[in-house]
Amino acid sequence: MTELIPAPRAVLAASSGEVRLTARSRLHAGPGAEGTERWLRTALGQATGLPLREGREPDGTGTDGIALRVDRRLGPEAYRLVSDARGVLVEGGDAAGVFWGAQTLRQLLGPDAHRRAPVRRDRIWAVPHLTIEDAPRFRWRGLMLDVARHFMPKDGVLRYLDLMAAHKLNVFHFHLTDDQGWRVEIRRHPRLTEVGAWRARTKFGHRASPLWDEKPHGGHYTQDDIREIVAYAAERHITVVPEIDVPGHSQAAIAAYPELGNTDVIDTTALSVWDTWGVNPNVLAPTDNTLRFYEEVFEEVLDLFPSEFVHIGGDECPKEQWRSSPAVQARIAELGLAGEDALQSWFVRHFDSWLSARGRRLIGWDEILEGGLADGAAVSSWRGYAGGTAAARAGHDVVMCPEQHVYLDHRQDGGPDEPVPIGWVRTLEDVYRFEPVPPELTPAQAAHVIGTQANVWTEAMEDAARVDYQVFPRLAAFAEVAWSALPAPAERDFVDFERRTVAHYARLDALGVAYRPPGGPRPWQRRPGVLGRPIEGPPPHR
C-alpha cells in the first residue's frame, strides 16, 4: 500500500481492515464522474472478471462498493481516496481528479489489476483501509513521442496513452512531421502523405553508422485516426498537442511539394524523404506561397486537435540556403529585417499571430526566443535550462524538458551492452533527481514554469519494443517528479523510490511493457555492432 508511483501527498493507513471486491460489488458514479465509471468498469472488469454492476449512492450500509464523485473543494486534478467499512470512495476536484484517483485505486488492487483478462479466478481483490490525499505539482506533465523518424501505428499510440494515464501524465506532445516523414493526413495537400510519409530506406543506428535497413519505411494517420487518438486521450484526461515543424526539419514536405523549398539554390525536385539523421540543410522558403500552404495545413490541424497549444517546432533551422538565395535576400530587404536570424523570428511570429487570431497559443522549442516572442507564446526548453529561464523572466510560459536530464533516447547505463548508445548516461536515479524549476527564478517567474516533459526521439528506436526499453522505467521516475511534491533533488529518497519500483516492475509486466531490467538489457534488447553516439562524463547541469 506504500508502493504507489507517483507518490501521493499524504497517506493515512488504518491499523487493520480492507474492502474486498466481489461479484456483488457495485460501482456508482455521481455527476461529472461518469467517464471514469465507464473506464474503471472496463479496466477492472477485464482484469478481475467481476461485473461491477451499476450501484446507487452509498448509504453507509454497504461494505464492498466503489463510489466516484466530484467535490469542487478539492481543486483541479486533486483527489481523495477513502477505503473504510463503508467501501471505497474516490472524490476528485474535477473529472480529471476522479480519474487519477481511480488510477491509484487500480495500483492498490495489485499488479494483476493492470491485465486485460483474469489470470486466477480465485484471486482476492482487496483495498486496505486508508485515506489518501493527493494533487499534482504541475498542470503540464508531458511525454513527447517522435513518430516522424520511426512511425508508430495507431494501436501503439493508444497503448502509450494508456501508459501515460497509468502514470498520471496528462499532455501528449505528438511530433508528427520532420525531414524523415510526414505522419498526418492533410486533405488539401494529399502528397504530404502520398510522398512525404515514405522513405526508401533507413539509417540503422547513429548517422555515422555504415548500416542501412534497405526496406521502405513509413505510414501516416488518417484524419479519423487522429480524431480517435484525440478522443481516446480525452477520455483519459490527456491533451494531445500536435507538432508541425517550420521552417526547418521540413525535407519530407519539400519532397512532396518542391515549390516549398529554396528553388533558386538547389533542385528541390530531386529531393526525397530523408533517410538518415542529423540537422538537415533543406528548409522552407519564406514566400507568401509557403506561408499560405502552411496556413492551410494548420487549418486542418486545428480542426483535428482542440488543444490550447499548437507546437510549431522552430528548432535547428540552418541558414545556409537562405544566405545563398537571392530570393530570400530580397525578401529580407523587403521586410526590413536585420538578417537570416530575424527572418526565422519573422516566420515564427507570423504563425504566432495566425494561431492567436484563432484562439490558440503557439509553443516552440527554445530557439524561437531568438528575435523575441509575442506575449502569448510559450517555450519548450530543450537546450538546458537557459532558454526556459530567459523565457520565464520575460513573462512567457515554459515547459522544461532539458536534453541532459529528460531526453529518454539517451542511454541508461555506460555498459557495452546498451543498444545503440546515444548521448549521456541518464540513470533512473538521474531522472528522479531532475528538478524542473531553476532555483534562480523568483516565485513570480517560477509560476511561468507550467510543467515539464520527457522527450522520446526515435532515430535509434525502430519499433515499439525499443521505445519501451528507452522509456521505462525512467518514465515512472519522471512521472513522480512531475506529479509529486518532492524535496530538493539531493534530499529525495531514491532508496524508497527504488523500493517502490520493484512493485512497479510487476505492473509494467502486467501491462506488457518491454522495460530495461535493473540488471541490464536482456539478450534480445541488445543491438551488437550498431554504432551509437555515446557522450562520456556527466552532462552539463545547465
Side-chain angles (χ1 to χ4, degrees):
M1 93 187 144
T2 60
E3 294 168 342
L4 299 171
I5 291 178
R9 295 204 170 191
V11 179
L12 178 62
S15 58
S16 63
E18 62 183 18
V19 175
R20 288 195 177 188
L21 301 184
T22 69
R24 300 185 308 274
S25 298
R26 302 281 176 149
L27 175 59
H28 170 79
E34 299 89 349
T36 296
E37 177 191 28
R38 289 191 295 271
W39 175 84
L40 190 60
R41 179 173 287 112
T42 299
L44 291 189
Q46 288 177 340
T48 66
L50 301 176
L52 294 175
R53 296 181 180 90
E54 186 174 350
R56 56 189 174 86
E57 182 73 32
D59 59 6
T61 61
T63 61
D64 63 355
I66 301 171
L68 310 171
R69 68 186 180 206
V70 173
D71 181 347
R72 301 290 178 188
R73 294 171 296 180
L74 291 175
E77 296 193 273
Y79 71 88
R80 178 190 301 117
L81 188 155
V82 179
S83 170
D84 59 20
R86 295 167 293 181
V88 177
L89 172 64
V90 178
E91 297 176 299
D94 51 16
V98 177
F99 183 73
W100 304 132
Q103 291 287 353
T104 296
L105 172 60
R106 186 166 68 154
Q107 286 197 20
L108 290 169
L109 285 166
D112 286 345
H114 294 76
R115 295 188 181 275
R116 296 185 183 180
V119 294
R120 289 186 297 276
R121 291 289 177 179
D122 59 348
R123 168 70 186 266
I124 294 174
W125 301 98
V127 181
H129 286 177
L130 48 60
T131 299
I132 296 174
E133 301 269 358
D134 204 4
R137 180 184 180 191
F138 293 108
R139 67 181 178 95
W140 182 305
R141 306 180 302 278
L143 175 71
M144 189 228 69
L145 181 63
D146 166 23
V147 296
R149 274 50 177 269
H150 278 99
F151 179 65
M152 179 177 285
K154 180 190 69 178
D155 284 354
V157 174
L158 299 179
R159 172 176 173 264
Y160 257 82
L161 291 170
D162 279 329
L163 293 173
M164 288 179 63
H167 292 82
K168 299 185 175 69
L169 299 174
N170 70 340
V171 178
F172 180 54
H173 176 168
F174 208 6
H175 184 81
L176 288 163
T177 74
D178 218 296
D179 300 299
Q180 296 86 359
W182 185 285
R183 305 298 180 210
V184 56
E185 176 191 19
I186 303 296
R187 290 174 178 167
R188 271 176 288 188
H189 301 297
R191 286 176 59 84
L192 285 172
T193 48
E194 291 170 359
V195 174
W198 294 92
R199 57 180 184 260
R201 64 176 187 168
T202 299
K203 176 67 72 173
F204 192 22
H206 183 254
R207 61 181 175 271
S209 167
L211 304 176
W212 293 89
D213 183 346
E214 295 290 349
K215 66 178 181 290
H217 177 85
H220 75 276
Y221 310 102
T222 68
Q223 294 203 355
D224 281 346
D225 290 337
I226 293 293
R227 291 187 180 96
E228 180 183 357
I229 288 167
V230 169
Y232 193 86
E235 289 173 353
R236 288 147 183 79
H237 299 278
I238 296 171
T239 299
V240 184
V241 174
E243 180 178 354
I244 306 294
D245 260 304
V246 294
H249 288 289
S250 296
Q251 182 162 318
I254 297 169
Y257 292 93
E259 66 271 21
L260 296 174
N262 296 286
T263 57
D264 59 342
V265 176
I266 63 164
D267 178 9
T268 55
T269 64
L271 292 177
S272 58
V273 177
W274 211 26
D275 56 13
T276 189
W277 321 123
V279 179
N280 189 297
N282 295 300
V283 301
L284 297 174
T287 64
D288 290 339
N289 173 68
T290 298
L291 294 179
R292 183 57 196 147
F293 182 98
Y294 272 86
E295 287 172 356
E296 291 171 350
V297 168
F298 280 116
E299 284 168 4
E300 296 193 28
V301 167
L302 296 192
D303 184 57
L304 295 171
F305 297 91
S307 55
E308 174 187 3
F309 289 98
V310 175
H311 209 290
I312 58 90
D315 63 319
E316 296 180 333
C317 178
K319 309 299 192 298
E320 288 80 4
Q321 290 184 1
W322 287 356
R323 293 188 187 99
S324 302
S325 166
V328 172
Q329 292 303 310
R331 183 69 156 169
I332 289 172
E334 171 195 340
L335 295 169
L337 300 175
E340 294 78 18
D341 290 341
L343 181 64
Q344 181 174 353
S345 178
W346 168 84
F347 207 109
V348 170
R349 282 175 172 271
H350 174 89
F351 286 103
D352 180 69
S353 299
W354 190 91
L355 288 167
S356 294
R358 288 153 182 81
R360 305 297 185 94
R361 293 179 66 187
L362 179 146
I363 186 169
W365 303 111
D366 55 56
E367 286 94 331
I368 69 171
L369 282 165
E370 298 161 9
L373 276 181
D375 290 343
V379 171
S380 301
S381 187
W382 76 275
R383 296 180 299 177
Y385 287 89
T389 300
R393 284 172 170 162
H396 294 285
D397 287 343
V398 177
V399 176
M400 282 292 187
C401 49
E403 67 167 328
Q404 59 268 56
H405 296 279
V406 288
Y407 269 35
L408 300 185
D409 49 310
H410 285 203
R411 58 194 172 133
Q412 303 182 67
D413 189 86
D417 289 333
E418 290 304 306
V420 199
I422 301 296
W424 293 289
V425 172
R426 294 285 83 193
T427 65
L428 184 67
E429 183 173 359
D430 291 329
V431 175
Y432 190 67
R433 297 196 189 279
F434 164 59
E435 172 50 48
V437 179
E440 60 266 31
L441 294 180
T442 67
Q445 293 165 348
H448 284 291
V449 180
I450 60 174
T452 183
Q453 180 173 288
N455 293 339
V456 183
W457 300 104
T458 62
E459 289 95 332
M461 300 180 213
E462 72 277 8
D463 56 31
R466 278 287 292 124
V467 175
D468 278 6
Y469 180 90
Q470 291 300 132
V471 170
F472 290 99
R474 292 184 295 181
L475 192 69
F478 172 79
E480 185 147 311
V481 169
W483 175 277
S484 303
L486 298 177
E491 298 168 8
R492 293 175 188 171
D493 189 350
F494 179 70
V495 172
D496 178 70
F497 177 77
E498 202 169 30
R499 178 189 63 79
R500 288 181 283 122
T501 303
V502 173
H504 202 64
Y505 286 128
R507 297 181 195 121
L508 297 179
D509 286 332
L511 289 164
V513 177
Y515 58 86
R516 181 189 187 276
R522 296 182 173 96
W524 57 87
Q525 293 174 320
R526 300 168 188 162
R527 297 292 185 276
V530 182
L531 186 66
R533 185 183 64 92
I535 304 174
E536 301 303 333
H541 181 63
R542 293 293 175 192

